[in-house]
Amino acid sequence: MEKTKMYQLTETSPFMMSFVIVTKNDNVIIIDGGREEDMPLLKEYVNGRHISAWILTHAHSDHISGLVSEIKKNGGADFDVEKFYYNFPPYEDAFNTNVPDYEYYKSDFDEQLPQFLEIEPKIKDKAHIVKEGDILVVDECKFEFIFTYRPYLTSNPINDSSLVFKLTTPNKTVLFLGDLGPDGGDILYRESRHLLKSDIVQMAHHGHMNVSMEVYAAIMPEACMWCAPEWLYNEVEIPDYLDKKEKFIKMGRVRMLGTKITRDWMDKLGVKKHYVTKDGTQEIEL
């Protein structure tokens, strides 16, 4: 293979995040993978190649339940995985009652983390628990992990546990934000804004209810990757489900806005290129 290729896979399930990176040596790095319905497409793009690294950004079903289903089905036998990289909150943190809205907080932990913990023993020998500052090198691809779980971010705990990492190839830099929300984004900006500048950015949390304009201004991307079906990419600034001020104040999640405002920010930053999963699987040369 002459060039590093990245495939941003389109949704089979209602929304999800899945990337396949193929190196010049024909090795693969997977990021997340989506739900069970998304596994056939993922397998098509992996195409039997060796998977040097499978990075899991955070423990929500639209990101990792596909992998969980594969491990439950046959131990992941359809994939040749060398190592899994993740850093999920310990489940005992789910019982921290000193949070703005315990009912939501606990339900967020329960959405997918227990299912992952059921299968974790089957991948334990291949697991690497990521620490901030870790570096992963696969052929010409270098991954630098910038942000991991912070137990004090309790209003949006699982999204704000997202791994943030930068991929550097000989030609491009790509910043992955996972589903990082406003609070996590503020900490990322405060601590690591000098590390964020990148050619391409994966839009946090599918482009809505995500990090602030300051974070994207520090990144100053030339291109944006949106894991967003049509309904989400064309979402208004304050959709009906976000127009419940009292509910979000109770949850400690006040700064939650739709995709339109994020798209407006990108226009102001002068971004011209957008890779959007609503338009199908996107092939990006790195």
Side-chain angles (χ1 to χ4, degrees):
M1 198 167 196
E2 294 183 2
K3 295 186 178 180
T4 314
K5 295 283 183 71
M6 177 164 61
Y7 299 95
Q8 179 186 353
L9 303 191
T10 195
E11 298 87 359
T12 303
S13 61
F15 57 90
M16 62 98 192
M17 179 167 130
S18 182
F19 290 89
V20 174
I21 300 163
V22 183
T23 73
K24 293 178 182 178
N25 290 342
D26 216 32
N27 291 308
V28 161
I29 302 99
I30 295 175
I31 299 167
D32 287 348
R35 297 184 173 89
E36 183 174 3
E37 308 96 288
D38 301 298
M39 290 298 98
L41 185 62
L42 179 65
K43 290 175 185 179
E44 179 182 328
Y45 278 87
V46 172
N47 195 26
R49 297 180 180 93
H50 175 68
I51 301 164
S52 298
W54 194 322
I55 301 171
L56 306 172
T57 62
H58 65 291
H60 269 160
S61 61
D62 55 319
H63 293 256
I64 69 164
S65 63
L67 172 64
V68 170
S69 72
E70 290 292 317
I71 301 298
K72 286 184 175 180
K73 180 177 72 176
N74 60 12
D78 294 346
F79 295 101
D80 173 25
V81 183
E82 183 175 334
K83 210 82 173 172
F84 295 95
Y85 294 81
Y86 59 93
N87 184 342
F88 296 161
Y91 188 66
E92 53 264 31
D93 285 7
F95 302 97
N96 171 19
T97 57
N98 187 29
V99 297
D101 184 340
Y102 180 69
E103 182 179 358
Y104 170 77
Y105 176 85
K106 178 68 162 52
S107 69
D108 202 28
F109 271 80
D110 285 343
E111 195 264 352
Q112 186 62 206
L113 187 55
Q115 291 88 331
F116 176 81
L117 293 175
E118 284 181 22
I119 63 92
E120 188 177 27
K122 296 182 179 179
I123 67 168
K124 200 69 175 176
D125 291 345
K126 297 181 177 182
H128 176 87
I129 308 305
V130 174
K131 301 184 296 295
E132 289 173 28
D134 278 359
I135 293 175
L136 164 66
V137 178
V138 179
D139 299 332
E140 73 279 10
C141 296
K142 176 183 177 182
F143 296 83
E144 300 172 82
F145 293 91
I146 299 170
F147 184 96
T148 62
Y149 173 57
R150 310 296 180 90
Y152 54 82
L153 294 174
T154 57
S155 67
N156 190 15
I158 301 300
N159 283 340
D160 276 340
S161 74
S162 292
L163 294 178
V164 174
F165 51 94
K166 182 186 283 192
L167 163 61
T168 301
T169 73
N171 300 308
K172 294 287 183 183
T173 53
V174 186
L175 191 72
F176 290 87
L177 294 169
D179 273 4
L180 205 64
D183 295 345
D186 289 351
I187 299 298
L188 177 70
Y189 180 80
R190 179 184 292 272
E191 294 182 353
S192 303
R193 58 188 178 275
H194 60 292
L195 302 175
L196 301 183
K197 177 69 184 82
S198 301
D199 299 316
I200 305 171
V201 64
Q202 172 254 315
M203 306 304 287
H205 196 232
H206 313 270
H208 70 162
M209 300 189 287
N210 71 138
V211 302
S212 69
M213 171 65 159
E214 289 85 353
V215 174
Y216 290 116
I219 299 167
M220 280 302 294
E222 299 170 2
C224 299
M225 302 186 301
W226 303 77
C227 298
E230 183 85 35
W231 68 267
L232 183 50
Y233 189 67
N234 291 314
E235 186 179 58
V236 297
E237 184 171 321
I238 305 180
D240 289 344
Y241 69 93
L242 293 179
D243 194 22
K244 298 176 177 63
K245 183 173 65 175
E246 293 78 9
K247 171 186 172 183
F248 283 97
I249 289 173
K250 178 188 176 186
M251 296 168 69
R253 302 177 72 194
V254 178
R255 192 150 50 86
M256 296 286 168
L257 297 166
T259 306
K260 182 182 184 303
I261 193 167
T262 312
R263 292 177 63 185
D264 289 346
W265 292 345
M266 297 308 104
D267 288 344
K268 290 173 182 173
L269 291 175
V271 177
K272 303 298 183 188
K273 182 65 178 175
H274 297 275
Y275 300 99
V276 191
T277 55
K278 74 177 180 63
D279 300 322
T281 294
Q282 304 291 304
E283 179 179 319
I284 305 167
E285 287 191 355
L286 301 178

PDB file of all heavy atoms in Angstrom, residues 31-55:
ATOM      1  N   ILE A  31     -10.648   2.076  15.545  1.00  0.00           N
ATOM      2  CA  ILE A  31     -11.112   2.964  16.618  1.00  0.00           C
ATOM      3  C   ILE A  31     -12.608   2.721  16.799  1.00  0.00           C
ATOM      4  O   ILE A  31     -13.407   2.909  15.884  1.00  0.00           O
ATOM      5  CB  ILE A  31     -10.810   4.431  16.298  1.00  0.00           C
ATOM      6  CG1 ILE A  31      -9.292   4.624  16.151  1.00  0.00           C
ATOM      7  CG2 ILE A  31     -11.357   5.350  17.392  1.00  0.00           C
ATOM      8  CD1 ILE A  31      -8.879   5.937  15.544  1.00  0.00           C
ATOM      9  N   ASP A  32     -12.970   2.219  17.966  1.00  0.00           N
ATOM     10  CA  ASP A  32     -14.337   1.911  18.386  1.00  0.00           C
ATOM     11  C   ASP A  32     -14.960   0.793  17.548  1.00  0.00           C
ATOM     12  O   ASP A  32     -14.722  -0.359  17.812  1.00  0.00           O
ATOM     13  CB  ASP A  32     -15.203   3.163  18.435  1.00  0.00           C
ATOM     14  CG  ASP A  32     -14.845   4.048  19.629  1.00  0.00           C
ATOM     15  OD1 ASP A  32     -14.092   3.578  20.514  1.00  0.00           O
ATOM     16  OD2 ASP A  32     -15.301   5.198  19.682  1.00  0.00           O
ATOM     17  N   GLY A  33     -15.788   1.087  16.576  1.00  0.00           N
ATOM     18  CA  GLY A  33     -16.367   0.033  15.752  1.00  0.00           C
ATOM     19  C   GLY A  33     -17.878   0.050  15.655  1.00  0.00           C
ATOM     20  O   GLY A  33     -18.461  -0.534  14.747  1.00  0.00           O
ATOM     21  N   GLY A  34     -18.555   0.702  16.614  1.00  0.00           N
ATOM     22  CA  GLY A  34     -20.003   0.792  16.535  1.00  0.00           C
ATOM     23  C   GLY A  34     -20.709  -0.355  17.230  1.00  0.00           C
ATOM     24  O   GLY A  34     -20.178  -1.003  18.132  1.00  0.00           O
ATOM     25  N   ARG A  35     -21.941  -0.608  16.777  1.00  0.00           N
ATOM     26  CA  ARG A  35     -22.812  -1.608  17.381  1.00  0.00           C
ATOM     27  C   ARG A  35     -22.724  -2.942  16.632  1.00  0.00           C
ATOM     28  O   ARG A  35     -22.037  -3.051  15.608  1.00  0.00           O
ATOM     29  CB  ARG A  35     -24.261  -1.110  17.386  1.00  0.00           C
ATOM     30  CG  ARG A  35     -24.513   0.146  18.218  1.00  0.00           C
ATOM     31  CD  ARG A  35     -26.004   0.461  18.214  1.00  0.00           C
ATOM     32  NE  ARG A  35     -26.333   1.546  19.111  1.00  0.00           N
ATOM     33  CZ  ARG A  35     -26.334   2.837  18.798  1.00  0.00           C
ATOM     34  NH1 ARG A  35     -25.991   3.208  17.567  1.00  0.00           N
ATOM     35  NH2 ARG A  35     -26.679   3.756  19.677  1.00  0.00           N
ATOM     36  N   GLU A  36     -23.489  -3.914  17.127  1.00  0.00           N
ATOM     37  CA  GLU A  36     -23.496  -5.241  16.506  1.00  0.00           C
ATOM     38  C   GLU A  36     -23.871  -5.151  15.033  1.00  0.00           C
ATOM     39  O   GLU A  36     -23.289  -5.854  14.183  1.00  0.00           O
ATOM     40  CB  GLU A  36     -24.472  -6.152  17.253  1.00  0.00           C
ATOM     41  CG  GLU A  36     -24.497  -7.576  16.744  1.00  0.00           C
ATOM     42  CD  GLU A  36     -25.362  -8.489  17.592  1.00  0.00           C
ATOM     43  OE1 GLU A  36     -26.003  -8.003  18.559  1.00  0.00           O
ATOM     44  OE2 GLU A  36     -25.399  -9.700  17.283  1.00  0.00           O
ATOM     45  N   GLU A  37     -24.844  -4.303  14.695  1.00  0.00           N
ATOM     46  CA  GLU A  37     -25.267  -4.173  13.293  1.00  0.00           C
ATOM     47  C   GLU A  37     -24.148  -3.636  12.400  1.00  0.00           C
ATOM     48  O   GLU A  37     -24.204  -3.795  11.167  1.00  0.00           O
ATOM     49  CB  GLU A  37     -26.467  -3.217  13.167  1.00  0.00           C
ATOM     50  CG  GLU A  37     -27.633  -3.543  14.079  1.00  0.00           C
ATOM     51  CD  GLU A  37     -27.607  -2.724  15.361  1.00  0.00           C
ATOM     52  OE1 GLU A  37     -26.740  -3.010  16.218  1.00  0.00           O
ATOM     53  OE2 GLU A  37     -28.447  -1.815  15.502  1.00  0.00           O
ATOM     54  N   ASP A  38     -23.178  -2.963  13.007  1.00  0.00           N
ATOM     55  CA  ASP A  38     -22.096  -2.351  12.232  1.00  0.00           C
ATOM     56  C   ASP A  38     -20.923  -3.295  11.979  1.00  0.00           C
ATOM     57  O   ASP A  38     -19.999  -2.946  11.232  1.00  0.00           O
ATOM     58  CB  ASP A  38     -21.596  -1.097  12.962  1.00  0.00           C
ATOM     59  CG  ASP A  38     -22.691  -0.070  13.169  1.00  0.00           C
ATOM     60  OD1 ASP A  38     -23.235   0.418  12.160  1.00  0.00           O
ATOM     61  OD2 ASP A  38     -23.020   0.238  14.335  1.00  0.00           O
ATOM     62  N   MET A  39     -20.947  -4.474  12.589  1.00  0.00           N
ATOM     63  CA  MET A  39     -19.808  -5.385  12.481  1.00  0.00           C
ATOM     64  C   MET A  39     -19.579  -5.926  11.066  1.00  0.00           C
ATOM     65  O   MET A  39     -18.425  -6.042  10.643  1.00  0.00           O
ATOM     66  CB  MET A  39     -19.958  -6.530  13.474  1.00  0.00           C
ATOM     67  CG  MET A  39     -19.800  -6.128  14.936  1.00  0.00           C
ATOM     68  SD  MET A  39     -18.146  -5.454  15.345  1.00  0.00           S
ATOM     69  CE  MET A  39     -18.481  -3.675  15.260  1.00  0.00           C
ATOM     70  N   PRO A  40     -20.622  -6.262  10.282  1.00  0.00           N
ATOM     71  CA  PRO A  40     -20.329  -6.740   8.920  1.00  0.00           C
ATOM     72  C   PRO A  40     -19.549  -5.728   8.083  1.00  0.00           C
ATOM     73  O   PRO A  40     -18.619  -6.110   7.358  1.00  0.00           O
ATOM     74  CB  PRO A  40     -21.727  -7.002   8.342  1.00  0.00           C
ATOM     75  CG  PRO A  40     -22.562  -7.347   9.540  1.00  0.00           C
ATOM     76  CD  PRO A  40     -22.055  -6.433  10.621  1.00  0.00           C
ATOM     77  N   LEU A  41     -19.891  -4.450   8.171  1.00  0.00           N
ATOM     78  CA  LEU A  41     -19.157  -3.443   7.411  1.00  0.00           C
ATOM     79  C   LEU A  41     -17.738  -3.302   7.934  1.00  0.00           C
ATOM     80  O   LEU A  41     -16.781  -3.156   7.154  1.00  0.00           O
ATOM     81  CB  LEU A  41     -19.895  -2.094   7.472  1.00  0.00           C
ATOM     82  CG  LEU A  41     -19.289  -0.979   6.616  1.00  0.00           C
ATOM     83  CD1 LEU A  41     -19.308  -1.351   5.135  1.00  0.00           C
ATOM     84  CD2 LEU A  41     -20.021   0.341   6.837  1.00  0.00           C
ATOM     85  N   LEU A  42     -17.577  -3.348   9.258  1.00  0.00           N
ATOM     86  CA  LEU A  42     -16.229  -3.273   9.823  1.00  0.00           C
ATOM     87  C   LEU A  42     -15.375  -4.429   9.313  1.00  0.00           C
ATOM     88  O   LEU A  42     -14.221  -4.231   8.898  1.00  0.00           O
ATOM     89  CB  LEU A  42     -16.318  -3.300  11.353  1.00  0.00           C
ATOM     90  CG  LEU A  42     -14.978  -3.244  12.107  1.00  0.00           C
ATOM     91  CD1 LEU A  42     -14.280  -1.919  11.872  1.00  0.00           C
ATOM     92  CD2 LEU A  42     -15.189  -3.480  13.604  1.00  0.00           C
ATOM     93  N   LYS A  43     -15.922  -5.619   9.306  1.00  0.00           N
ATOM     94  CA  LYS A  43     -15.166  -6.785   8.836  1.00  0.00           C
ATOM     95  C   LYS A  43     -14.797  -6.647   7.361  1.00  0.00           C
ATOM     96  O   LYS A  43     -13.713  -7.077   6.936  1.00  0.00           O
ATOM     97  CB  LYS A  43     -15.985  -8.056   9.060  1.00  0.00           C
ATOM     98  CG  LYS A  43     -16.135  -8.428  10.523  1.00  0.00           C
ATOM     99  CD  LYS A  43     -17.050  -9.628  10.705  1.00  0.00           C
ATOM    100  CE  LYS A  43     -17.283  -9.894  12.185  1.00  0.00           C
ATOM    101  NZ  LYS A  43     -18.200 -11.049  12.408  1.00  0.00           N
ATOM    102  N   GLU A  44     -15.683  -6.029   6.588  1.00  0.00           N
ATOM    103  CA  GLU A  44     -15.399  -5.823   5.166  1.00  0.00           C
ATOM    104  C   GLU A  44     -14.156  -4.956   4.984  1.00  0.00           C
ATOM    105  O   GLU A  44     -13.305  -5.238   4.122  1.00  0.00           O
ATOM    106  CB  GLU A  44     -16.614  -5.168   4.504  1.00  0.00           C
ATOM    107  CG  GLU A  44     -16.450  -4.882   3.034  1.00  0.00           C
ATOM    108  CD  GLU A  44     -17.675  -4.189   2.455  1.00  0.00           C
ATOM    109  OE1 GLU A  44     -18.802  -4.449   2.934  1.00  0.00           O
ATOM    110  OE2 GLU A  44     -17.495  -3.363   1.531  1.00  0.00           O
ATOM    111  N   TYR A  45     -14.033  -3.911   5.803  1.00  0.00           N
ATOM    112  CA  TYR A  45     -12.893  -2.993   5.642  1.00  0.00           C
ATOM    113  C   TYR A  45     -11.630  -3.518   6.312  1.00  0.00           C
ATOM    114  O   TYR A  45     -10.522  -3.217   5.871  1.00  0.00           O
ATOM    115  CB  TYR A  45     -13.262  -1.596   6.138  1.00  0.00           C
ATOM    116  CG  TYR A  45     -14.012  -0.827   5.083  1.00  0.00           C
ATOM    117  CD1 TYR A  45     -15.403  -0.935   4.973  1.00  0.00           C
ATOM    118  CD2 TYR A  45     -13.351  -0.033   4.159  1.00  0.00           C
ATOM    119  CE1 TYR A  45     -16.098  -0.265   3.987  1.00  0.00           C
ATOM    120  CE2 TYR A  45     -14.030   0.641   3.163  1.00  0.00           C
ATOM    121  CZ  TYR A  45     -15.408   0.521   3.072  1.00  0.00           C
ATOM    122  OH  TYR A  45     -16.083   1.179   2.080  1.00  0.00           O
ATOM    123  N   VAL A  46     -11.774  -4.309   7.367  1.00  0.00           N
ATOM    124  CA  VAL A  46     -10.597  -4.965   7.950  1.00  0.00           C
ATOM    125  C   VAL A  46     -10.071  -6.023   6.980  1.00  0.00           C
ATOM    126  O   VAL A  46      -8.857  -6.179   6.796  1.00  0.00           O
ATOM    127  CB  VAL A  46     -10.941  -5.591   9.318  1.00  0.00           C
ATOM    128  CG1 VAL A  46      -9.779  -6.445   9.830  1.00  0.00           C
ATOM    129  CG2 VAL A  46     -11.278  -4.497  10.327  1.00  0.00           C
ATOM    130  N   ASN A  47     -10.987  -6.760   6.366  1.00  0.00           N
ATOM    131  CA  ASN A  47     -10.663  -7.702   5.292  1.00  0.00           C
ATOM    132  C   ASN A  47      -9.608  -8.724   5.719  1.00  0.00           C
ATOM    133  O   ASN A  47      -8.695  -9.050   4.956  1.00  0.00           O
ATOM    134  CB  ASN A  47     -10.195  -6.933   4.048  1.00  0.00           C
ATOM    135  CG  ASN A  47     -10.191  -7.798   2.800  1.00  0.00           C
ATOM    136  OD1 ASN A  47     -10.939  -8.765   2.709  1.00  0.00           O
ATOM    137  ND2 ASN A  47      -9.334  -7.460   1.845  1.00  0.00           N
ATOM    138  N   GLY A  48      -9.736  -9.213   6.942  1.00  0.00           N
ATOM    139  CA  GLY A  48      -8.844 -10.269   7.407  1.00  0.00           C
ATOM    140  C   GLY A  48      -7.447  -9.832   7.795  1.00  0.00           C
ATOM    141  O   GLY A  48      -6.611 -10.670   8.164  1.00  0.00           O
ATOM    142  N   ARG A  49      -7.169  -8.540   7.735  1.00  0.00           N
ATOM    143  CA  ARG A  49      -5.823  -8.063   8.068  1.00  0.00           C
ATOM    144  C   ARG A  49      -5.539  -8.189   9.566  1.00  0.00           C
ATOM    145  O   ARG A  49      -6.440  -8.238  10.391  1.00  0.00           O
ATOM    146  CB  ARG A  49      -5.665  -6.595   7.665  1.00  0.00           C
ATOM    147  CG  ARG A  49      -5.783  -6.289   6.183  1.00  0.00           C
ATOM    148  CD  ARG A  49      -5.604  -4.806   5.980  1.00  0.00           C
ATOM    149  NE  ARG A  49      -5.691  -4.378   4.593  1.00  0.00           N
ATOM    150  CZ  ARG A  49      -6.808  -3.959   3.994  1.00  0.00           C
ATOM    151  NH1 ARG A  49      -7.952  -3.952   4.682  1.00  0.00           N
ATOM    152  NH2 ARG A  49      -6.797  -3.571   2.748  1.00  0.00           N
ATOM    153  N   HIS A  50      -4.257  -8.175   9.889  1.00  0.00           N
ATOM    154  CA  HIS A  50      -3.829  -8.133  11.295  1.00  0.00           C
ATOM    155  C   HIS A  50      -4.198  -6.785  11.894  1.00  0.00           C
ATOM    156  O   HIS A  50      -3.925  -5.735  11.299  1.00  0.00           O
ATOM    157  CB  HIS A  50      -2.315  -8.340  11.380  1.00  0.00           C
ATOM    158  CG  HIS A  50      -1.781  -8.199  12.760  1.00  0.00           C
ATOM    159  ND1 HIS A  50      -2.073  -9.089  13.770  1.00  0.00           N
ATOM    160  CD2 HIS A  50      -0.991  -7.245  13.321  1.00  0.00           C
ATOM    161  CE1 HIS A  50      -1.471  -8.709  14.876  1.00  0.00           C
ATOM    162  NE2 HIS A  50      -0.815  -7.598  14.633  1.00  0.00           N
ATOM    163  N   ILE A  51      -4.828  -6.823  13.059  1.00  0.00           N
ATOM    164  CA  ILE A  51      -5.213  -5.594  13.765  1.00  0.00           C
ATOM    165  C   ILE A  51      -4.173  -5.344  14.851  1.00  0.00           C
ATOM    166  O   ILE A  51      -4.159  -6.004  15.888  1.00  0.00           O
ATOM    167  CB  ILE A  51      -6.627  -5.721  14.364  1.00  0.00           C
ATOM    168  CG1 ILE A  51      -7.648  -6.001  13.248  1.00  0.00           C
ATOM    169  CG2 ILE A  51      -6.997  -4.458  15.140  1.00  0.00           C
ATOM    170  CD1 ILE A  51      -8.987  -6.510  13.758  1.00  0.00           C
ATOM    171  N   SER A  52      -3.277  -4.409  14.597  1.00  0.00           N
ATOM    172  CA  SER A  52      -2.199  -4.129  15.552  1.00  0.00           C
ATOM    173  C   SER A  52      -2.727  -3.476  16.810  1.00  0.00           C
ATOM    174  O   SER A  52      -2.166  -3.671  17.903  1.00  0.00           O
ATOM    175  CB  SER A  52      -1.150  -3.221  14.900  1.00  0.00           C
ATOM    176  OG  SER A  52      -0.569  -3.858  13.780  1.00  0.00           O
ATOM    177  N   ALA A  53      -3.786  -2.685  16.685  1.00  0.00           N
ATOM    178  CA  ALA A  53      -4.351  -1.983  17.844  1.00  0.00           C
ATOM    179  C   ALA A  53      -5.827  -1.744  17.612  1.00  0.00           C
ATOM    180  O   ALA A  53      -6.229  -1.349  16.513  1.00  0.00           O
ATOM    181  CB  ALA A  53      -3.625  -0.659  18.074  1.00  0.00           C
ATOM    182  N   TRP A  54      -6.609  -1.996  18.668  1.00  0.00           N
ATOM    183  CA  TRP A  54      -8.043  -1.661  18.662  1.00  0.00           C
ATOM    184  C   TRP A  54      -8.250  -0.695  19.822  1.00  0.00           C
ATOM    185  O   TRP A  54      -8.145  -1.080  20.982  1.00  0.00           O
ATOM    186  CB  TRP A  54      -8.896  -2.911  18.833  1.00  0.00           C
ATOM    187  CG  TRP A  54     -10.354  -2.731  18.507  1.00  0.00           C
ATOM    188  CD1 TRP A  54     -11.124  -1.637  18.781  1.00  0.00           C
ATOM    189  CD2 TRP A  54     -11.217  -3.680  17.853  1.00  0.00           C
ATOM    190  NE1 TRP A  54     -12.416  -1.827  18.349  1.00  0.00           N
ATOM    191  CE2 TRP A  54     -12.504  -3.072  17.767  1.00  0.00           C
ATOM    192  CE3 TRP A  54     -11.040  -4.965  17.349  1.00  0.00           C
ATOM    193  CZ2 TRP A  54     -13.596  -3.738  17.193  1.00  0.00           C
ATOM    194  CZ3 TRP A  54     -12.125  -5.613  16.771  1.00  0.00           C
ATOM    195  CH2 TRP A  54     -13.382  -5.005  16.695  1.00  0.00           C
ATOM    196  N   ILE A  55      -8.496   0.572  19.487  1.00  0.00           N
ATOM    197  CA  ILE A  55      -8.633   1.628  20.491  1.00  0.00           C
ATOM    198  C   ILE A  55     -10.106   1.842  20.782  1.00  0.00           C
ATOM    199  O   ILE A  55     -10.911   2.056  19.864  1.00  0.00           O
ATOM    200  CB  ILE A  55      -7.986   2.937  19.993  1.00  0.00           C
ATOM    201  CG1 ILE A  55      -6.496   2.720  19.693  1.00  0.00           C
ATOM    202  CG2 ILE A  55      -8.155   4.048  21.034  1.00  0.00           C
ATOM    203  CD1 ILE A  55      -5.824   3.903  19.002  1.00  0.00           C
TER     204      ILE A  55
END
